[in-house]
Amino acid sequence: MITLSSINKSFDGNRVLRDIHLTIEEGTVTALIGPSGSGKSTLLRCINLLEIPQSGELTIGIEQIKFAPNARIKGHDIRRISRQTGMVFQNFALFPHMTALDNITEGLVTVHKWDRAHARKRGEALLEKVGMLHKRNALPNTLSGGQQQRVAIARALAPSPAVLLCDEPTSALDPELSGEVVAVLRQLAQEGTTMIMATHDLRLAANIASQVVFLEAGEIVEAGSAKSLFTDAKKPRTAEFIASLSTALPDIGAI
């Protein structure tokens, strides 16, 4: 289980996250939706400590960390929490000079101190899982955007993190290529991978998420199941936001 309690984050006095309370059950998918600037990506970055909250508490499984104003978080505490997470970025963030396989194995060898042969076996298994084993020796610039993102997902999964964090995983892709990535994410969801994704793609949220969280101005306005939010939102602002993007939604009755 992942819990966030009273998480607050500011940049130069601008409060980006306001008193966030959220619980994510193991084996579920949580979609963070909301307008640009609502705090979705910042919330993800606070979970893996790419950004350090000013206050609050974060628990991932048995690992817990507390934040307080002007308190310095030690490096080993950051590593302790960040190793529980795998991050998939909007822009893929692959090493351009490394093959698809090396992009996956490098972190296992240098950070997690795996034996290289063991890391290679793990990398090949994950490339097969995302349908990219045939491209294991390809450089990123020879791959399509969808293929690069699938390699990035495999890399994030390599050390078997407790939670997979996806920051707008399909927004840099055209509809055809995004379909490749959605198929992989759907497969992972069906296998019980715990995921938290920030997305503007309501189709992705409606089809994959167990829980949808609507944020605006750094606050959670409403949270619930995909079906409840997309068909019977309780807060007027949630309903207004969803209605503004309703043409992007699939048949909700199929959720």
Side-chain angles (χ1 to χ4, degrees):
M1 180 185 292
I2 301 166
T3 59
L4 297 94
S5 303
S6 301
I7 295 292
N8 290 278
K9 176 63 181 176
S10 298
F11 294 103
D12 298 324
N14 178 32
R15 203 169 175 191
V16 179
L17 295 177
R18 301 170 180 269
D19 200 30
I20 297 293
H21 291 264
L22 188 60
T23 299
I24 293 99
E25 298 289 343
E26 184 178 351
T28 64
V29 179
T30 296
L32 308 176
I33 65 171
S36 296
S38 60
K40 303 185 298 296
S41 294
T42 299
L43 181 54
L44 284 186
R45 293 171 68 86
C46 284
I47 293 172
N48 73 353
L49 300 190
L50 286 174
E51 300 290 351
I52 306 297
Q54 274 81 29
S55 61
E57 184 175 307
L58 168 64
T59 302
I60 304 179
I62 64 172
E63 301 289 355
Q64 185 180 78
I65 189 167
K66 294 183 179 181
F67 312 99
N70 303 316
R72 183 176 179 273
I73 304 299
K74 295 179 180 178
H76 69 83
D77 285 324
I78 293 175
R79 291 189 293 273
R80 175 171 58 86
I81 297 296
S82 64
R83 287 185 178 185
Q84 301 300 310
T85 70
M87 190 77 173
V88 178
F89 298 93
Q90 176 181 345
N91 64 350
F92 323 135
L94 298 176
F95 295 115
H97 61 291
M98 292 185 181
T99 66
L101 182 58
D102 287 343
N103 262 281
I104 297 170
T105 61
E106 184 64 22
L108 294 176
V109 172
T110 61
V111 178
H112 297 277
K113 308 305 179 184
W114 286 34
D115 172 81
R116 193 166 292 277
H118 183 202
R120 184 178 180 86
K121 185 175 180 180
R122 172 68 171 163
E124 290 179 340
L126 286 168
L127 284 174
E128 184 172 21
K129 185 183 191 71
V130 300
M132 289 294 294
L133 184 57
H134 64 296
K135 294 288 189 178
R136 61 187 161 206
N137 295 319
L139 292 173
N141 66 0
T142 68
L143 302 175
S144 71
Q147 290 174 327
Q148 290 186 63
Q149 193 62 297
R150 283 188 279 162
V151 172
I153 291 170
R155 179 181 62 185
L157 290 170
S160 300
V163 58
L164 183 66
L165 307 175
C166 302
D167 190 6
E168 301 286 358
T170 61
S171 65
L173 306 172
D174 64 38
E176 182 178 4
L177 295 180
S178 70
E180 302 174 9
V181 175
V182 171
V184 170
L185 294 175
R186 183 182 293 113
Q187 176 189 345
L188 294 175
Q190 292 170 346
E191 293 172 355
T193 304
T194 306
M195 289 188 277
I196 308 172
M197 60 179 68
T199 183
H200 282 97
D201 187 347
L202 296 192
R203 293 170 300 177
L204 178 61
N207 281 318
I208 295 180
S210 319
Q211 173 180 225
V212 177
V213 179
F214 173 53
L215 293 100
E216 186 169 52
E219 296 181 289
I220 294 178
V221 177
E222 188 171 354
S225 70
K227 188 170 185 178
S228 67
L229 247 72
F230 290 138
T231 63
D232 188 26
K234 306 303 181 188
K235 299 294 181 67
R237 179 60 187 122
T238 310
E240 179 186 11
F241 175 78
I242 291 171
S244 71
L245 299 175
S246 60
T247 57
L249 285 171
D251 178 8
I252 296 297
I255 295 176

